[in-house]
Amino acid sequence: MRILWVSRHKMTSEQMIDLKKYYGEIEILSADKTFNSAEEIIEYAENINVYAVVLPTEILIKLFNLLSDDKDLLMSYSKRVLTEKTVLNSATGEYEPEYKFVHDCWKRVTHAEFETEELK
């Protein structure tokens, strides 16, 4: 199973473990670059079975609409977890609780529809 990971961040071990649980044997190709269109993503690598992506909504929806039914489009979801530390908020000058984001699950896109209009 060939998975294209489209993100500026390296895939975490938690994300990879979750993918292996679902897909079994996997090969992950990383695309650490900025894509301007869904077409560029599809052209980036051949024989991809799964697209695991972090993308702007409009590109995400276009990619979903271009993919055939035998291709999965996934998004990683994280949860916000309170740590035992505090951090200085540079805007307020006050200390506040620190949170970290940890992988929660993968979600497959099953339907995508979105329209925008430019504000002038």
Side-chain angles (χ1 to χ4, degrees), residues 55-118:
L55 292 170
T57 306
E58 290 177 343
I59 296 176
L60 176 79
I61 291 169
K62 178 71 173 180
L63 179 60
F64 175 79
N65 290 326
L66 289 174
L67 293 178
S68 58
D69 290 340
D70 64 335
K71 309 284 186 197
D72 285 348
L73 178 59
L74 306 179
M75 299 181 337
S76 177
Y77 279 75
S78 298
K79 58 186 171 187
R80 189 174 177 237
V81 177
L82 180 65
T83 71
E84 296 182 13
K85 299 178 184 177
T86 58
V87 293
L88 180 63
N89 181 320
S90 60
T92 65
E94 297 179 14
Y95 283 90
E96 56 188 36
E98 178 187 64
Y99 291 87
K100 65 179 181 176
F101 290 91
V102 295
H103 175 71
D104 185 39
C105 66
W106 288 98
K107 293 189 180 183
R108 180 180 21 239
V109 179
T110 58
H111 179 81
E113 189 173 320
F114 192 77
E115 292 182 25
T116 63
E117 76 177 19
E118 185 177 344

